[in-house]
Amino acid sequence: MDPIDLDRLLPAVWQANAAGDVRALLSLIREIAPPVADVERMSISETLATMRDLGILLGSVKRNGAEPVSEISTLEEVLRLLAQRSGLIPRDTIHHYIRWNPTGRRERMYTGLPMERLLMAAVRISLPRLSDAVDLCVVLDSADAGDLTFALAANELAALVGAMEHSIDTVLAGVTPEFFARTMRPFFEEIRVGDEVYLGPAAAHVPLSVVDLLVWACDHGGDEYLEFADDSVVYGLEHWKPLHGKWRRTTSLVTRVTEELKRCLPDETLSLGLYASAEALCRTMRSLMVFRGKHLTIARKAYAADIGLYELGSGGGSVAMLEAITDATRATSTLLRRSVTTHLKDLG
Ligand code: HEM
């Protein structure tokens, strides 16, 4: 959809960003921002496309040193109404920038540069799959660890979460830490809307923390990760919020499967369902570990003192936080793997 006519103006956005021309960017917003009355008549899809397109300009203005809503005060009411109509925050999110953004000639981008396209392609691999993984977690949460239903869903989950490895490999192959740090990161800076500030469309807001909570993090994640997960909820879809609340206070799938394994007596044959479930969870944890190991390497480079421009990542967390999450992921993965091998050994 092109409800506010951005298609024809995309090259002008890229030109203004290349030139650091904040006045041109503000003029573009004044030209295309819809009046409140138009937003009231929009379908939900049109509100999402409108927020996506305004979002590219909001991030561009901020990157060039101005607060968009302070510069154009009428924007606040428009952003708030768009937010209210869609159940999302009053600015664009990773879902607007990636999931609800067409590919090819019409792809909404800040720079138009090939490396931005590759960075977006990397997130395009995992975002829809992780969103599917959240739905699958609902199935897993209500199944008994060891049942065939649980095993089937756990195997599908392993495949979906495996997409995180492909995402980070895409970045490693095509996006330099310098490009991320110097060119892209400034577009994701927070903007002020009224009394609140909202972060930009950060890859850190893919719903991995929602999935992680149920899989392992609610009881193995550590305070730093849980706090980050709580802070990130507002950037997700509305129907994920109650799931986050529920899975924040549950027993993780890793714990459920480990306890089920313990209940199996050494001389009792491990059921097919339980073995398949445990093995699929091991693979899921392994993918998370591989993703986080590679991701940490690139994050360290992009936020190193000689390259980075900011202390914190676009999702509001630090590299030290990533280290803590990576350590906790590795420890949980090892714990689960040990528990499975011990039982297999006991069974001879
Ligand atoms: C050059 C590319 C990248 C850099 C430099 C980078 C850097 C960072 C940093 C510093 C954080 C800490 C929290 C924050 O953002 O405030 C973070 C978090 C995160 N990033 Fe990235 N990132 C990159 C690409 C990606 C990609 C392609 C994905 C895939 C979807 C991704 C997914 C995540 C996730 C899920 C988190 C939350 C913490 C976690 O789950 O481990 N990042 N990233």
Side-chain angles (χ1 to χ4, degrees):
M1 286 183 165
D2 187 24
I4 53 172
D5 215 13
L6 186 70
D7 271 350
R8 72 185 167 87
L9 296 172
L10 273 177
V13 176
W14 302 339
Q15 239 168 35
N17 272 324
D21 188 348
V22 73
R23 285 160 64 103
L25 292 163
L26 288 167
S27 302
L28 286 172
I29 298 186
R30 287 194 186 93
E31 186 183 336
I32 66 171
V36 166
D38 282 9
V39 177
E40 275 164 355
R41 281 193 295 271
M42 283 179 180
S43 66
I44 296 299
S45 304
E46 282 168 332
T47 64
L48 299 178
T50 301
M51 185 63 101
R52 173 198 64 202
D53 293 354
L54 286 177
I56 289 289
L57 288 161
L58 298 174
S60 297
V61 167
K62 184 66 197 261
R63 180 259 193 181
N64 289 293
E67 274 293 345
V69 180
S70 310
E71 296 291 334
I72 305 174
S73 58
T74 50
L75 264 181
E76 182 171 343
E77 204 184 346
V78 174
L79 295 177
R80 288 206 184 281
L81 187 57
L82 286 169
Q84 190 195 317
R85 297 278 328 270
S86 58
L88 298 164
I89 55 162
R91 95 164 278 186
D92 56 319
T93 64
I94 191 73
H95 303 278
H96 297 90
Y97 180 47
I98 301 296
R99 208 162 178 198
W100 302 321
N101 193 347
T103 50
R105 203 175 39 81
R106 298 186 53 236
E107 189 168 27
R108 275 74 170 128
M109 304 164 68
Y110 297 103
T111 65
L113 296 171
M115 262 197 209
E116 180 180 358
R117 214 178 273 275
L118 268 168
L119 183 62
M120 295 172 79
V123 185
R124 278 184 193 282
I125 295 168
S126 51
L127 181 54
R129 289 178 175 85
L130 284 178
S131 305
D132 289 349
V134 176
D135 295 339
L136 209 52
C137 280
V138 175
V139 176
L140 282 159
D141 189 25
S142 60
D144 284 333
D147 270 8
L148 198 57
T149 316
F150 189 103
L152 297 176
N155 271 280
E156 218 176 317
L157 181 75
L160 294 174
V161 169
M164 291 306 285
E165 291 187 51
H166 297 297
S167 268
I168 207 65
D169 285 343
T170 305
V171 169
L172 285 168
V175 183
T176 64
E178 290 82 357
F179 179 80
F180 180 86
R182 301 252 157 182
T183 305
M184 292 315 302
R185 174 64 184 81
F187 288 108
F188 305 133
E189 261 303 87
E190 62 191 25
I191 64 160
R192 179 162 287 282
V193 181
D195 293 334
E196 311 273 348
V197 290
Y198 293 95
L199 300 166
H205 295 154
V206 300
L208 184 56
S209 61
V210 185
V211 172
D212 264 352
L213 276 182
L214 182 72
V215 174
W216 67 279
C218 61
D219 47 18
H220 289 85
D223 291 346
E224 238 180 321
Y225 189 21
L226 294 177
E227 209 176 293
F228 176 76
D230 291 347
D231 292 345
S232 303
V233 175
V234 293
Y235 299 97
L237 303 186
E238 207 176 15
H239 67 279
W240 293 341
K241 288 175 194 162
L243 296 176
H244 170 94
K246 185 171 182 224
W247 294 341
R248 184 73 164 71
R249 287 162 202 83
T250 190
T251 306
S252 71
L253 302 183
V254 164
T255 302
R256 292 182 211 179
V257 165
T258 313
E259 280 175 359
E260 199 56 36
L261 285 169
K262 274 192 210 140
R263 262 198 293 276
C264 281
L265 298 170
D267 58 343
E268 194 182 315
T269 313
L270 211 55
S271 79
L272 176 66
L274 181 55
Y275 176 70
S277 301
E279 198 276 332
L281 272 190
C282 281
R283 258 185 293 134
T284 305
M285 290 306 301
R286 191 174 182 286
S287 284
L288 290 171
M289 208 170 65
V290 171
F291 158 72
R292 291 205 162 106
K294 293 179 180 178
H295 178 249
L296 183 57
T297 307
I298 193 162
R300 277 188 180 132
K301 287 184 186 155
Y303 286 85
D306 56 335
I307 296 181
L309 303 175
Y310 303 89
E311 281 278 309
L312 292 181
S314 37
S318 62
V319 172
M321 179 197 77
L322 288 186
E323 286 166 354
I325 301 176
T326 307
D327 287 348
T329 309
R330 190 177 303 114
T332 311
S333 179
T334 308
L335 185 108
L336 179 65
R337 175 69 65 192
R338 269 205 201 117
S339 167
V340 176
T341 44
T342 306
H343 281 268
L344 288 181
K345 227 187 287 156
D346 284 349
L347 287 170

